[in-house]
């Protein structure tokens, strides 16, 4: 709360990633439900909320439950529109949702799913008192490498390596 109070004004001057505008208003809503003393009605916060609504209005909400879209990284910001039973179809074999501890924790809180809890427990056991924003960490690097190789137009020389990286990510 102290950090937010100190930095909320400086946040408005930054260019914010789309997942911030999806998640932050929802987290503020949760904070308000907990009766935390924060400035909830600043004009720039209303701009973020409007941006969130605009973004969400452009998206087919059905895809949240049928496709592994990047919005799976932001489930904690989509709580009011997620069907928690249907979202389970997108769970990875390791129990995570796109390898995102925060999204997986949100699913666990909403569903009590044991596979989600196992993923979170294993991640905490590996890192101790914190978890990275994505785990396993190497998935992002593998997919980024595939993307770069394809963009360079040299992917035909790396077919087997690309298949191994994509199979690993899958």
């Amino acid at each position: 709360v102290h950090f937010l109070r100190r930095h909320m004004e400086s946040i408005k001057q930054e260019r914010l990633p789309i997942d911030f505008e999806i998640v932050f208003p929802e987290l503020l809503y949760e904070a308000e439900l907990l009766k935390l003393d924060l400035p909830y009605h600043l004009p720039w916060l209303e701009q973020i909320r409007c941006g969130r609504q605009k973004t969400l209005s452009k998206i087919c909400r059905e895809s949240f439950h049928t496709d592994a879209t990047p919005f799976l990284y932001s489930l904690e910001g989509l709580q009011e529109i997620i069907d928690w039973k249907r979202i389970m179809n997108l769970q990875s074999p390791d129990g995570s949702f796109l390898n995102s501890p925060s999204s997986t924790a949100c699913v666990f809180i909403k569903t009590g799913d044991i596979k989600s809890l196992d993923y979170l427990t294993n991640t905490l056991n590996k890192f101790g008192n914190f978890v990275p924003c994505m785990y396993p960490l190497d998935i992002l690097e593998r997919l980024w490498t595939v993307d770069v190789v394809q963009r360079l137009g040299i992917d035909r020389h790396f077919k087997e390596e690309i298949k191994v990286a994509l199979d690993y990510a899958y």
Side-chain angles (χ1 to χ4, degrees), residues 7-45:
H7 296 286
M8 280 181 113
E9 279 300 314
S10 64
I11 290 172
K12 74 178 180 183
Q13 297 167 3
E14 295 183 28
R15 186 162 184 228
L16 303 172
I18 190 167
D19 55 341
F20 182 87
E21 86 173 7
I22 297 297
V23 173
F24 191 66
E26 184 69 20
L27 294 179
L28 281 178
Y29 173 72
E30 295 282 328
E32 199 166 8
L33 290 177
L34 294 170
K35 301 192 183 328
L36 297 180
D37 182 29
L38 292 172
Y40 296 104
H41 303 290
L42 297 173
W44 64 270
L45 287 175

Side-chain angles (χ1 to χ4, degrees), residues 5-136:
R5 283 187 140 303
R6 264 194 19 219
H7 296 286
M8 280 181 113
E9 279 300 314
S10 64
I11 290 172
K12 74 178 180 183
Q13 297 167 3
E14 295 183 28
R15 186 162 184 228
L16 303 172
I18 190 167
D19 55 341
F20 182 87
E21 86 173 7
I22 297 297
V23 173
F24 191 66
E26 184 69 20
L27 294 179
L28 281 178
Y29 173 72
E30 295 282 328
E32 199 166 8
L33 290 177
L34 294 170
K35 301 192 183 328
L36 297 180
D37 182 29
L38 292 172
Y40 296 104
H41 303 290
L42 297 173
W44 64 270
L45 287 175
E46 291 304 317
Q47 289 176 328
I48 291 175
R49 287 183 186 102
C50 288
R52 178 181 189 269
Q53 290 308 322
K54 185 177 177 183
T55 299
L56 291 178
S57 71
K58 295 177 186 176
I59 298 165
C60 172
R61 293 181 183 201
E62 181 63 23
S63 68
F64 292 149
H65 304 97
T66 58
D67 302 313
T69 69
F71 284 102
L72 274 182
Y73 289 115
S74 306
L75 288 178
E76 62 272 32
L78 302 169
Q79 295 180 50
E80 79 280 5
I81 58 177
I82 295 296
D83 179 332
W84 296 102
K85 287 181 182 173
R86 291 183 60 211
I87 199 77
M88 298 308 294
N89 295 327
L90 298 175
Q91 188 174 39
S92 299
D94 67 357
S96 74
F97 288 82
L98 285 186
N99 302 305
S100 168
S102 61
S103 286
T104 305
C106 185
V107 171
F108 174 70
I109 289 167
K110 295 296 186 179
T111 67
D113 178 65
I114 297 302
K115 279 180 69 177
S116 297
L117 179 61
D118 289 344
Y119 167 82
L120 294 168
T121 301
N122 291 336
T123 305
L124 274 171
N125 287 341
K126 181 164 180 71
F127 291 97
N129 294 336
F130 72 96
V131 294
C133 64
M134 178 186 277
Y135 178 75

